[in-house]
Amino acid sequence: MAILVTGGAGFIGSNFVLDWLAQADEPIVNLDALTYAGNLENLSSLAGDSRHVFVRGDIGDFDLVADLLARHRPRAIVNFAAESHVDRSIHGPEDFIRTNVVGTFRLLEAARAYWNGLAADDRAGFRFLHVSTDEVYGSLAPDAPAFTETNRYEPNSPYSASKAASDHLVRAYHHTYGLPVLTTNCSNNYGPYQFPEKLIPLCMHNAQAGKPLPLYGDGRQIRDWLYVGDHCSAIRRVLEAGSIGEVYNIGGWNEQTNREVVATLCAILDELSPRADGRSYAEQIVFVQDRPGHDRRYAINAGKIERALGWHPAETFATGLRKTVRWYLDHQQWLRNVTSGAYRNWLKQQYGA
Ligand code: NAD
Ligand code: TYD
């Protein structure tokens, strides 16, 4: 048996691959296009491990995916591959349509053809798990209840609209063709190996480089934050026991304003790696122009996955953020390689220009 993971060199995907292989011997075929967000350094601890088969390629390449499925005969596909950064989607939405919408469609087509050709037992056991986001539900008023799986889709950014489209395609492939799909919609993740374009690793990097910590607008936008290891355990649980065709919201019951997130980060840094001048990193916070169309609040009701599948997050925000800060402090070379672009040298070495 094996599973096919897409986007497994990115932030959440690489955490998922590492956690999976730390707990089981079932091999992973990891298909990743290695865009700017894919970093094989995240997986360097798996060098020489025959349980991990890395393939550089695009989920939108039907022939490649069909070939991988035919050769490795996985019992499941877990689809992480996506363009994932809202700000980039505002500057250049096209890549988001190409990967998140067209890419997911082609991956579904390849999965459907493969699944149709399986023997009855294998067909019954096969799963296509699509990893999505809470951002598809749009923005909540301050006193509105947290998102449940039945909330209307109201995506507001090109990123969330493209993820919404992919969720709809996944749903349609179940209803129309019977493909055994599962969809998860998770809140904001944080933890090791996150690309420093996202709020927490960006602030980790800038804090230590003596640069400003930029908060958009008034910094009072609210997100629910979940430690990446808890997202990975939720996905494993849904894959193992989720009901076909169902959607599961995943979250940390942890709403924080961006101001609170960055203030907590600074307080942990002040303790673990104090500034040379003895002042607080919080002095580096600046308020900058807001993101266009910035969603004000997201909140996740994770009651369904907790009741139906018995999943609970292991980390609180306090424990998860402390672990995360420690990880970045202990992996400064990783951060330097990403910010300098050196992580891409491996690519040139391996694949040429
Ligand atoms: P990421 O940007 O860190 O990683 C994405 C990975 O996908 C990269 O390795 C990239 O090379 C790869 N990729 C991009 N286009 C591809 C293509 N066409 N074919 C194959 N590989 C491709 O993203 P992430 O933060 O790890 O998010 C992973 C998934 O989880 C995404 O689907 C995202 O929408 C979803 N999600 C993310 C969060 C979050 O807070 N980061 C929260 C909820 C859901
Ligand atoms: P981000 O990490 O980009 O995730 P998302 O937009 O998917 O929620 O941003 C998290 C929050 O932090 C979001 O409200 C935007 C805000 N933000 C800043 O205030 N400053 C920044 O430099 C960044 C990258 C994000």
Side-chain angles (χ1 to χ4, degrees):
M1 287 304 214
I3 64 167
L4 174 68
V5 164
T6 72
F11 162 49
I12 305 173
S14 61
N15 276 281
F16 182 85
V17 169
L18 292 170
D19 287 2
W20 180 275
L21 293 176
Q23 299 185 22
D25 280 332
E26 185 175 7
I28 286 190
V29 180
N30 181 355
L31 172 65
D32 194 299
L34 296 180
T35 68
Y36 79 94
N39 183 354
L40 284 177
E41 210 179 312
N42 302 359
L43 300 165
S44 56
S45 63
L46 297 176
D49 189 330
S50 61
R51 298 172 305 164
H52 179 237
V53 178
F54 182 79
V55 179
R56 186 180 189 188
D58 194 319
I59 56 166
D61 184 340
F62 177 93
D63 292 339
L64 170 68
V65 177
D67 178 60
L68 285 178
L69 293 171
R71 269 196 291 137
H72 297 282
R73 309 197 63 74
R75 67 172 175 96
I77 298 174
V78 183
N79 183 31
F80 292 98
E83 290 292 337
S84 69
H85 188 42
V86 174
D87 294 317
R88 283 182 193 257
S89 84
I90 294 168
H91 292 293
E94 185 135 2
D95 286 346
F96 290 72
I97 304 306
R98 190 179 310 117
T99 285
N100 301 1
V101 185
V102 181
T104 304
F105 156 69
R106 297 240 174 88
L107 184 67
L108 282 163
E109 277 291 272
R112 179 165 77 94
Y114 167 68
W115 176 71
N116 274 329
L118 290 175
D121 276 4
D122 292 340
R123 263 172 78 90
F126 183 79
R127 297 290 182 271
F128 183 104
L129 192 155
H130 179 60
V131 179
S132 192
T133 166
D134 61 356
E135 305 196 20
V136 297
Y137 298 121
S139 189
L140 285 170
D143 52 352
F147 301 130
T148 68
E149 290 78 0
T150 58
N151 268 66
R152 257 178 67 178
Y153 270 40
E154 292 182 341
N156 291 319
S157 71
Y159 164 64
S160 54
S162 67
K163 290 297 290 188
S166 67
D167 293 8
H168 291 324
L169 284 168
V170 170
R171 176 188 161 88
Y173 271 63
H174 175 60
H175 276 262
T176 304
Y177 305 113
L179 190 72
V181 306
L182 299 155
T183 299
T184 56
N185 293 90
C186 187
S187 57
N188 283 58
N189 283 215
Y190 65 96
Y193 303 115
Q194 189 167 27
F195 197 84
E197 63 187 352
K198 306 277 167 66
L199 180 66
I200 288 178
L202 179 93
C203 288
M204 272 303 300
H205 174 259
N206 285 10
Q208 292 187 287
K211 292 183 178 166
L213 311 181
L215 282 174
Y216 297 158
D218 64 5
R220 296 192 194 281
Q221 303 83 4
I222 294 173
R223 299 289 181 267
D224 173 81
W225 293 91
L226 182 71
Y227 186 69
V228 65
D230 283 325
H231 188 188
C232 293
S233 73
I235 292 169
R236 288 199 304 276
R237 185 71 192 129
V238 171
L239 188 59
E240 178 181 63
S243 297
I244 290 172
E246 290 290 316
V247 173
Y248 296 92
N249 281 356
I250 304 171
W253 302 103
N254 173 50
E255 288 182 57
Q256 307 266 345
T257 64
N258 293 334
R259 282 178 183 235
E260 288 167 336
V261 168
V262 176
T264 310
L265 180 85
C266 289
I268 300 174
L269 265 178
D270 287 341
E271 182 195 326
L272 297 182
S273 179
R275 263 172 52 160
D277 63 6
R279 307 176 76 132
S280 172
Y281 289 100
E283 292 185 13
Q284 291 168 229
I285 294 173
V286 296
F287 291 90
V288 300
Q289 193 178 6
D290 208 350
R291 170 189 281 173
H294 197 171
D295 284 337
R296 196 70 185 163
R297 175 176 169 239
Y298 304 140
I300 278 276
N301 180 333
K304 176 174 169 181
I305 187 172
E306 295 191 349
R307 281 190 307 276
L309 304 180
W311 171 86
H312 295 278
E315 302 291 343
T316 63
F317 190 60
T319 61
L321 193 60
R322 183 168 283 269
K323 263 191 181 178
T324 302
V325 171
R326 269 194 208 285
W327 187 89
Y328 283 96
L329 290 173
D330 291 345
H331 293 79
Q332 306 216 15
Q333 192 58 44
W334 180 90
L335 203 52
R336 273 195 292 275
N337 286 350
V338 174
T339 49
S340 72
Y343 74 111
R344 299 191 73 87
N345 292 347
W346 187 92
L347 282 183
K348 284 203 200 89
Q349 210 178 304
Q350 186 79 1
Y351 298 100

